[in-house]
Amino acid sequence: MKTTHKTLMLLAAVAVVALAVTAAGAKEPWEKIKIPELNSVEMPEYERVELPNGMILYLAEDHYLPMIELSAQIMVGSIYDPADKLGLATMTGSVLRTGGAGDRAGDDIDALVEARGMEVETWVGQSTGGAYLNCLNEDVDLGLELLADILMRPQFADEKIDLAKSEQKAVISRRNDEPLQIAMREAPKVLFGPDHPLARHPEYDTIAAVTRADMEQFHAAYFHPDRMYLVVIGDFATADMKQRIETVFASWERSTTPLPADPEIPALPRTVNVAAKDGLTQATVLLGQKGIRNDHPDYAALRVGAQILGGGFSSRLFKEIRSNQGLAYAVGAAPGTGWRFPGTFMAYTITKNETVEAAAKAILAEIERMLAEPVSEAELQFAKDMILNSEVFSYDTKREILDRMVRFEMYGYQPDFLQQYQAAVKNLTPAEIHTACQNNWTPDDLSILVVGTPAEFDGDLSVFGTVNEIDITIPAPKPMLVIPAATAESLAAGAALMTALRDGSGGAAYGTLKSYREVDELNANIQGMDLTFTIETTVEKPDRMHVMQKTPFGNMTQVLDGDTAWTSSMQGTQDVTGDDLTDMKNQLLTTRFAILADLDAVQCQALAPMDVEGAACTPVNVTVGDESQVFFLATDTGLIRMIQDQSTNPVTRSPATRKVYVDEYAEMDGFQVPKSLRLVYDDEQFGTITVTSFEANPKVDPALFQK
């Protein structure tokens, strides 16, 4: 439709009239919508019961659905981990459920739970453990029996412990992937010290050190009924449910020793810290200091103060640092409160590397403004509304309310703590916010932590204090086999053993070997799936290698041609550079054929005799450049029984000790070739390899090495 000059004039007139009506006080359509008051938090009817063994029950009937829900909180946590076995508590919490219990194996429990549509879980966190059961009321006896067995009579099956270790190692291997994850992990070290129980985290070696006996001892020490609070909600009669729970847990004995004292939370002076991670275009900046427990008199005021400072789009930090100065996309603050331990007052931002110092100064300026002058009435009212309205959604089910009641009791709070807190928030004044912030927030003591690329920072951060460099390198696990210092005798013996291996597996044929082609079939179980891979490897001396992997998901190719390399897959072709290129070169130089064809370029050190699966062997540590592997040579045949080296688990991508066992040899084209092999990572079998063909000095198509 064509718009005429008269139409435009009419529209303009209508707009003027509309403005005049609005100015006169007319309501917009959306302002006429009646918004109901948010529901207040209503306490459900419940009964608190203490059983003879000390277990505390919170029982609340709910007959709306024929379901029973049990939520347990247990006074246990990783704060009790021995320093050399960090990860023990977390893995214990996992294997309690997966490792079998009573007379049932873990897989049998899985099948039973799935068949009945039940849910049974356990876990252990930093300072609290838990268990959960959800089932139909007709299955409550079975559910309670399972839960009691899991908590009282766990089996800790070895294979489930190994699985838990693999999962933990995978977490460790990925822990530097995200900058914010790095910052949150390193912040407690900065604020409390690196060895503080709230700052520690597992490493490969601490995970490897955990044994089944450790889990059994940890369970015996910390899992007792007088440290457990159980919330039960659902379709039951209270007296009947109390009796069922008391009966099933009757044999569970109280603890005989008190829990260790909670660790002290220090208030350390400011430090300035940088964790360098190359390749980041943005930096994560944290400023923090020791906070308070939630029963501190300033709790409500600091919650509201932090909301005004950095609690969302309307906060001061957001308006100033993001909107006005354009220094950051994300910015905010946490009040620094905690239930069991004092929390951490923290302000943060994610900004460009080039504006790190400017953003940190801007955050400090806004904190100082909170201390210099009271907040406005408008800011205060908005923050109150945000907190009180959002609090409702933390108590919108019976379980959430009763779980919070348990938390109050566990940590020594009054049962009406919530009501006291809500009343305190409603009655706060600007002066009280101002005083609380002044009493608890000290900008000069705020430690600073930055994760980013220091070479690109707008300053070196020394304006805030001496800068500490934090090393976030993940420590490699200790090798399973300790290699002693070499001696002339051990080197001579190693060279003789490897020469005998060469002579017995191919002899002079190694001297004429210019190229070879090998086809392997790998059968592996990956995440519960039995998969078969065909691997075709073509090597042409001195520095060419072509590897094609035929997988159920498509083909992948790796090519090394001197100092260049690339990979090709369904995602396209990518060049291989840096450490990955070095790894490919080392892979070529450390093959069995490369080593035996040029023993003069290899250091071979004989080690003390050892048995491999009952077979007497002499290990030889074989070193090519910086790469080492141990050949276990059978004393009766002189052939390889097993090769061990440090590698990477192909599933978890975590460092692992790799062992390749040779179960069968076959003569192929003039060589004794290991035909049947088993591939094992950290003593867990990954798969089997069958060499289906081997050809010495085949005609090699040059096109294999063309991109």
Side-chain angles (χ1 to χ4, degrees), residues 514-548:
K514 304 301 181 184
S515 62
Y516 65 87
R517 180 179 292 114
E518 181 175 305
V519 180
D520 304 333
E521 183 178 281
L522 168 64
N523 292 286
N525 184 280
I526 300 176
Q527 297 180 346
M529 297 184 293
D530 290 322
L531 301 173
T532 298
F533 304 83
T534 299
I535 305 170
E536 300 180 1
T537 302
T538 301
V539 172
E540 186 176 57
K541 297 177 69 174
D543 54 10
R544 281 182 159 186
M545 179 173 62
H546 180 281
V547 181
M548 174 180 284

Side-chain angles (χ1 to χ4, degrees), residues 18 46 120 141 200 269 297 326 368 436 438 455 480 487 545-546 552 572 595 621 625 647 664 697:
Y46 71 94
V120 184
D141 288 331
R200 305 176 305 176
E368 289 167 349
Q438 287 181 324
M480 295 180 68
T487 64
M545 179 173 62
H546 180 281
I595 289 171
N621 185 45
S647 183
E664 181 185 353
N697 296 317

Side-chain angles (χ1 to χ4, degrees), residues 486-499 603-606:
T487 64
E489 292 78 10
S490 65
L491 292 174
L497 287 165
M498 293 299 289
T499 299
Q603 176 177 292
C604 305
Q605 175 190 357

